[in-house]
């Protein structure tokens, strides 16, 4: 019989429990993956303040209102996209499967069994390598395409190594 009493408390599961052994990796896309959106979003209050103080010199009153509205709209859009991208994707690796979940209202779940895994690809741009980010793609022998992808995760080479260790067990 499984011991579930630790679920109701803040305790960690016992070392010999199957729940601890199967929960290998759970993550979401890293905040650093959206560095340029966060940077632009942080500039929007500066642009708004500059438009409030010096906008009358360069714009008429109706055009200044348009600049202010557009600045607020860009800020809200970027904030919504950053939060959506962070919380709508979730990645799981347990002892048997690799799973990618996407969506808040509608849900798209992609999974692959570790024993069916054929290829593990890591993609990193120069900026992603500097920030220790990247995408990890998993494909099986049954499919010709990438079946599960972890986008914008921290330390993608460690994830690849972890899956390869699970594959060898």
């Amino acid at each position: 019989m499984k011991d579930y009493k630790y679920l109701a408390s803040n305790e960690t599961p016992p070392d010999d429990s199957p729940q601890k052994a199967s929960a290998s990796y759970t993550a979401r896309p890293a905040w650093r993956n959206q560095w340029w959106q966060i940077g632009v979003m942080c500039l929007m209050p500066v642009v708004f303040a500059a438009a409030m103080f010096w906008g009358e010199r360069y714009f008429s009153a109706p055009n200044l209102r348009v600049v202010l509205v557009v600045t607020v709209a860009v800020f809200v859009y970027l904030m919504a996209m950053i939060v959506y991208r962070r919380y709508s994707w979730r990645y799981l690796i347990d002892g048997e499967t690799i799973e990618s979940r996407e969506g808040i209202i509608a849900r798209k779940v992609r999974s692959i069994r570790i024993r069916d895994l054929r290829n593990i690809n890591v993609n990193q741009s120069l900026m992603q390598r500097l920030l220790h980010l990247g995408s990890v793609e998993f494909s099986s022998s049954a499919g010709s395409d990438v079946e599960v992808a972890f986008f914008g995760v921290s330390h993608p080479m460690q994830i690849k190594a972890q899956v390869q260790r699970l594959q060898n067990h």
Side-chain angles (χ1 to χ4, degrees):
M1 175 126 187
K2 294 182 180 178
D3 184 16
Y4 291 106
K5 65 183 174 188
Y6 71 89
L7 291 174
S9 68
N10 289 334
E11 299 174 17
T12 58
D15 288 338
D16 59 344
S17 73
Q19 290 83 9
K20 187 170 184 178
S22 67
S24 299
Y25 179 81
T26 302
R28 296 186 183 278
W31 290 108
R32 295 184 315 262
N33 192 49
Q34 303 182 66
W35 63 271
W36 73 268
Q37 291 102 330
I38 292 171
V40 171
M41 187 187 74
C42 291
L43 285 176
M44 289 297 107
V46 174
V47 171
F48 185 85
M52 287 294 292
F53 291 118
W54 298 296
E56 294 173 358
R57 292 184 195 170
Y58 304 106
F59 301 106
S60 64
N63 289 343
L64 180 59
R65 281 192 294 268
V66 170
V67 169
L68 295 175
V69 168
V70 167
T71 304
V72 170
V74 168
F75 179 83
V76 169
Y77 173 76
L78 287 172
M79 175 68 82
M81 287 307 300
I82 290 167
V83 170
Y84 176 78
R85 286 181 183 161
R86 169 72 180 180
Y87 292 106
S88 68
W89 289 334
R90 192 167 118 202
Y91 310 124
L92 305 164
I93 300 173
D94 62 19
E96 298 176 11
T97 60
I98 298 170
E99 188 173 275
S100 171
R101 296 179 181 188
E102 179 183 348
I104 293 176
I105 298 171
R107 175 85 45 191
K108 183 188 294 186
V109 178
R110 295 181 180 153
S111 64
I112 185 172
R113 292 184 303 197
I114 290 178
R115 68 176 180 224
D116 296 335
L117 193 62
R118 179 146 190 180
N119 293 324
I120 305 171
N121 300 324
V122 175
N123 297 322
Q124 290 179 295
S125 66
L126 176 62
M127 185 57 97
Q128 286 178 325
R129 287 193 69 187
L130 293 172
L131 296 173
H132 302 286
L133 299 170
S135 298
V136 184
E137 301 172 340
F138 304 96
S139 58
S140 71
S141 56
S144 61
D145 228 0
V146 172
E147 295 178 29
V148 177
F150 292 2
F151 297 107
V153 292
S154 295
H155 306 289
M157 295 304 288
Q158 290 177 358
I159 296 169
K160 179 180 178 179
Q162 180 180 7
V163 171
Q164 287 172 334
R165 278 191 306 272
L166 289 171
Q167 203 174 18
N168 293 332
H169 283 109

